[in-house]
Structures are given as structure tokens and as C-alpha cells.
Amino acid sequence: MLRWIMHVDMDAFFASVEQLDRPELQGLPVIVGGTSSRGVVSTCSYEARRFGVHSAMPIVKAKQLCPQGVFVPGRMWRYKEISNQIMEIFSEISPLVEQLSIDEAFLDMTGTEMLYGGVLAAAKLVKERIKRETGLTGSVGLAPNKFLAKMASDLQKPDGLTVISHEKAREFIAPLPVTKIFGIGKGAAEQLRLFGVTTIGQLAQVELSVLQKVFGKNAQAVQQLAIGIDDRPVVASREAKSIGREHTYERDITSYEECKQALLSLSGEVGYRVRRQDCLGHTLTLKVKYADFTLKTHSYSTDRDISCDEDIYELACELLEKVALGKGIRLLGISLSNLEKGSGFGLAFEEELKLKQRNAAVDDLKKRFGEDIISRGKVKKDK
Ligand code: TTP
Ligand code: MG
């Protein structure tokens, strides 16, 4: 199965949020940062970049370069709010997301082709959802590994979408300057230039002994990158405190039978995500939003290791007993928290072992053919 990694990075993030919230700033050189005379630029809009302003530049210098700039202090709470929103979108697109910073993440898209009709369609969907749900633009890189994906997302900023295919990867990166490789700064680039190496293609072909002079024990890893090879896995973000899924239904749910069917499907989705992140949890939360938008949550904690779809479903159904149907249910959600690492596939009684094997078989199918290939029980019939 072909590996596909997506890297998404928001464009001029803090500055774009300011332009979003204050439309009168659109099209203007907006510079976000400490506004005291000793402050530095956090970031600036692309309009300001034309004047040579960039992140980490002293504000004083930015004022010299761009006196007509609109200087604004940062509003971190607001950036975090939007950051959460985009991370939520990512987690709905891929079960394995690694957040790198406030505005960027890797998504492991391996095995999702069937789900979205190809990885390119998935990349377009991510961009569309970001735009529709936040009003901002992000740039996407799609490639066989993390190194290439991160490089790709940067190549056509802003609002970019760049795909580096498996076949063309090496050829694609060969003409680019060595500084495009993360970690090769001006110093190393200067040293390499003395050996006649300025492009990634040349870096791929130069004697390893030369690279050892510049990169020491990292020489081989650098040369691997130069031929487009990078085996680092996407690692689920450590911050993940809960893993959940929720769904808003087109028609309000009015019976327990329908609720159970919905929970069956949600349990499969949550379980798959929990296991892909090599996690198990101890607290299950059921979220219910009613037709009048009032919200209720019910939780249950246990010492047991919860990671199987069946356990999640069973606990969700127990919690459902506390739920009144009221005027109808608009949204249902299940999340697992109190997480710890480990598959919980250690010691097990025979019956439990069977369950785990069945879950593992389902995960394998989903990984290979996309998450939609199989879902639980009666739910499939409804689709
Ligand atoms: P970046 O993604 O590096 O920059 P950006 O989103 O502003 O612009 P680009 O279109 O090139 O991706 O960083 C994300 C945010 O992190 C940025 O909006 C502000 C903040 N940041 C700082 O506060 N200081 C810094 O030195 C950098 C690089 C970023
Ligand atoms: Mg960015």
C-alpha cells in the first residue's frame, strides 16, 4: 500500500485571523507582534512581506521597511480558538494527526483513497473545509513522506496545493536549493557550496565522506532525504486528551432504537481512531445535542482498558439509558478520555482475545481500503 502524508500549514496565520475579524484590514500590510519598541514581529500578511518584513524581525526594523503597515498586538486566545477548529477538521479527515505547531499538522492519509476518491480529492476537501468553516486559507502538501509533504506545502504558498508523487519525488526535489531541507541553514549551505553542492540533486550524489565533514553522524540521514526517503512515522499528538467523533443528523432522532444504531456506527469510528493512535481509555463520554440546541453530556469511568468497538458501544448504550429523548436529538457524540498508550492487547481471556482479533481485522481492512469499507451491524443498511 502506498504511503501518503499530508502537511497543512495556515497562511500568514495570526495576520490572516486579524484580517478575518477586522475586514477593513484586508488587502493591507498587517504586522502582528509586540508593539513595544523592543518587540519582534510574530508574523505579517503577505502584503507586508512584499516590503521585506518577516517573523522574528524587530518591530523597529519593520516600521522602517513598511511605515504604512498596520501594527497590531496579538490575540493568542483567538488564534488558539481557530487552531482548535482546524485541528478538529484534520481529525475528522484522518485518524492519525500530528500537530506540529499552532497552525500546522501532518495527516497520515495512507489507506484513505477509497474514502475520498483519491488523496488529491482529500487535499481539496481539507482546503475547502478550512475555508468554509474558518474563512481562512491554508496550504497543503501531499507526498510519500513527512519531509516531502512539509516541503510541498511551502512551495506554492499562500492557498497552495502541491502534490509530489512517488514516481517523481526524486526528480522533483533535485533542482531545489539545499536550504529547502529542514535543518540545512545558511552555515551548512555555505560549507556545501565550497564542495560545489548547491542543489538537492547534487547533495544526493556527492561522496558520503564530504557530507560527513559538514553533517557529522547525520550525513547519511541527510543524503537519504536528498533522494526523497524519510521513514519517520506520523505520531499522534501528545496533547490528545480525548478521542471522539460526533455526528449531526439530517433528521432529528426520536427513538432509542435509532440512537443505538447511531452509537454503533460512532463506536466503530472512535474505536478505530483510538487503536490507530495505539491508545486505550478509561472514561467514556456521551454527548447529546437536542433539537433546541441544548447540550447534555454523560460520562462513565472504569478501571478497565477500553479500546474495542464492542466495549465502547456497550458503555455508550448504558449512558444512553440516562438520556431523555425530549423533542428529538440533533447530534450524538462519543469520546474516550483518560487515555494511555498501549493497545491493551496484552493478557486477555479467550473471549476478549477473539474480540481484539476481530477489531484488529477490521482495522486492517479500513487501513487498506478506507474507513468506509466496513461499519458495524445494521447501520450499513441505512446508508
Ligand atoms: P508560520 O506557519 O511559520 O507562519 P505564518 O502562518 O504566519 O505564515 P506562512 O504563510 O509562511 O505559513 O507560523 C505560524 C504562526 O506562529 C504565525 O502566524 C505567528 C506565529 N509565529 C511567531 O509568533 N513567531 C515566529 O517567529 C514564527 C515563525 C511564527
Ligand atoms: Mg503558517
Side-chain angles (χ1 to χ4, degrees), residues 105-265:
F106 284 118
L107 284 66
D108 192 339
M109 300 303 291
T110 310
T112 63
E113 286 91 336
M114 303 272 280
L115 195 55
Y116 301 108
V119 279
L120 182 62
K124 288 182 181 157
L125 177 67
V126 168
K127 283 175 63 75
E128 267 168 36
R129 282 198 59 182
I130 293 176
K131 182 76 195 161
R132 194 170 60 233
E133 293 171 38
T134 70
L136 300 173
T137 62
S139 294
V140 173
L142 198 55
N145 58 49
K146 281 177 151 182
F147 159 63
L148 293 170
K150 187 159 163 86
M151 184 186 265
S153 73
D154 197 46
L155 286 176
Q156 299 190 65
K157 260 183 172 292
D159 204 11
L161 170 52
T162 308
V163 183
I164 302 182
S165 71
H166 283 254
E167 308 75 44
K168 297 266 173 66
R170 190 167 173 177
E171 195 180 313
F172 190 100
I173 59 175
L176 300 175
V178 290
T179 46
K180 287 279 172 200
I181 294 185
F182 183 76
I184 300 192
K186 276 195 191 136
E190 185 53 33
Q191 274 179 283
L192 287 170
R193 203 178 57 80
L194 298 177
F195 293 108
V197 174
T198 57
T199 67
I200 294 179
Q202 291 163 338
L203 190 64
Q205 284 178 338
V206 75
E207 283 286 323
L208 192 62
S209 58
V210 170
L211 290 189
Q212 275 159 349
K213 291 193 182 97
V214 183
F215 299 107
K217 60 178 173 24
N218 294 326
Q220 199 152 19
V222 171
Q223 200 152 43
Q224 289 287 97
L225 293 182
I227 57 174
I229 293 179
D230 172 19
D231 291 329
R232 285 172 301 166
V234 174
V235 181
S237 309
R238 275 168 291 279
E239 305 88 285
K241 295 222 168 60
S242 71
I243 298 174
R245 293 288 281 167
E246 57 183 50
H247 194 75
T248 303
Y249 300 94
E250 275 172 27
R251 195 171 51 74
D252 293 340
I253 296 183
T254 50
S255 76
Y256 284 107
E257 195 49 37
E258 281 177 286
C259 279
K260 284 191 169 176
Q261 286 199 15
L263 292 181
L264 196 55
S265 154

Side-chain angles (χ1 to χ4, degrees), residues 9-13 46 49 101 103-104 157:
D9 187 305
M10 300 298 287
D11 303 317
F13 186 46
Y46 278 78
R49 293 183 195 196
S101 75
D103 82 327
E104 61 178 316
K157 260 183 172 292

Side-chain angles (χ1 to χ4, degrees), residues 81-110:
E81 189 173 76
I82 296 198
S83 174
N84 289 341
Q85 234 179 318
I86 57 170
M87 296 303 155
E88 186 63 38
I89 295 174
F90 300 161
S91 73
E92 284 174 21
I93 298 281
S94 161
L96 189 52
V97 177
E98 178 176 347
Q99 182 172 358
L100 289 184
S101 75
I102 192 162
D103 82 327
E104 61 178 316
F106 284 118
L107 284 66
D108 192 339
M109 300 303 291
T110 310

